[in-house]
Amino acid sequence: RKAITSAPKTKPAFVLKLWNMVNDPKNSAHINWMPDGLSFQVVGREQFEKTVLPKYFKHSNFSSFVRQLNMYGWHKVQDVTAGAMQSGEETWQFKSPNFIRGREDLLDNIVRNRGSKGSDDEEDFDLHQILEEVELIRQSQQIIAEQLKHLKQDNELLWSESYQTRERHKNFSDTLEKILRFLASVYGNPSKIL
């Protein structure tokens, strides 16, 4: 007999977000447990998209949310009473055998169906992360461009100063040579003065 030693499973981010979403009383007007606690319902799709989804995901697309539910094994309950129009709002009911009110321990059993390439939330996260990195690169390029501009200006200034110094030195040398020639011509012994 082999001893089974497995590290504690990490619950998928989508499953944890959904659990928190359904159990948060602030969301109860749009998503809540059914009375039996074996399924949950979404009431008023438009308001759910506007007010609840953006708090938990980087998207507010109900179709993406339903697609993620399907990837993790939820099924839409086709109940005549629950799925009917109630007070003018459409109700969507979803059920999973491991998603039961008060049984957070069962969430470890919820895994993404094989063959699913990735959830929309993960794709949105990757896209969001890529866009942030692109923005950081763009900002870095702007900073480097500014630094290069300053370096170019400093370099031009140094070259200008170097040229001016060389010209002054040449002028001083020429003047000194003229003075020495003048003195040599006045005193008659150029080798002594030089």
Side-chain angles (χ1 to χ4, degrees):
R1 292 182 192 173
K2 289 184 179 179
I4 300 174
T5 57
S6 62
K9 291 181 180 178
T10 58
K11 299 168 184 72
F14 173 76
V15 175
L16 286 174
K17 289 176 183 180
L18 179 63
W19 179 262
N20 292 331
M21 188 188 310
V22 175
N23 287 299
D24 188 345
K26 294 175 189 168
N27 302 327
S28 63
H30 306 294
I31 184 169
N32 55 55
W33 290 104
M34 294 302 291
D36 62 5
L38 299 176
S39 59
F40 69 91
Q41 67 177 353
V42 175
V43 181
R45 173 181 173 166
E46 286 183 22
Q47 283 303 311
F48 177 73
E49 284 179 322
K50 288 178 187 174
T51 59
V52 179
L53 280 179
K55 288 195 294 188
Y56 295 89
F57 301 103
K58 291 177 174 54
H59 67 80
S60 58
N61 186 324
F62 187 73
S63 299
S64 296
F65 174 70
V66 172
R67 195 165 37 249
Q68 287 176 284
L69 286 172
N70 292 332
M71 282 186 212
Y72 283 95
W74 270 269
H75 300 287
K76 185 175 179 192
V77 177
Q78 298 298 335
D79 185 358
V80 208
T81 57
M85 299 291 274
Q86 297 174 351
S87 67
E89 291 189 301
E90 185 179 3
T91 301
W92 296 64
Q93 184 178 346
F94 299 95
K95 184 174 187 173
S96 170
N98 294 305
F99 197 77
I100 299 172
R101 182 175 49 215
R103 295 292 312 272
E104 191 173 357
D105 59 303
L106 295 176
L107 299 181
D108 288 330
N109 300 328
I110 301 174
V111 292
R112 190 168 62 215
N113 295 335
R114 291 182 186 264
S116 297
K117 291 185 178 176
S119 69
D120 289 340
D121 190 47
E122 290 167 353
E123 290 170 8
D124 284 348
F125 173 74
D126 289 342
L127 179 62
H128 182 68
Q129 187 176 6
I130 289 168
L131 290 175
E132 283 179 350
E133 289 174 6
V134 166
E135 179 60 23
L136 286 173
I137 291 169
R138 190 184 66 75
Q139 290 173 356
S140 296
Q141 284 180 328
Q142 285 179 337
I143 291 169
I144 291 169
E146 282 294 315
Q147 290 174 340
L148 283 173
K149 182 180 170 185
H150 290 299
L151 281 173
K152 184 179 176 187
Q153 290 171 346
D154 291 346
N155 191 29
E156 288 173 357
L157 183 64
L158 283 173
W159 275 106
S160 174
E161 287 176 358
S162 174
Y163 177 76
Q164 290 171 0
T165 303
R166 201 174 315 138
E167 286 297 310
R168 271 189 299 227
H169 180 268
K170 185 176 179 273
N171 290 338
F172 288 143
S173 294
D174 290 347
T175 304
L176 183 61
E177 191 176 324
K178 286 177 185 174
I179 291 172
L180 290 175
R181 284 192 184 147
F182 172 75
L183 288 174
S185 67
V186 169
Y187 293 104
N189 191 353
S191 60
K192 228 181 199 183
I193 295 171
L194 293 176

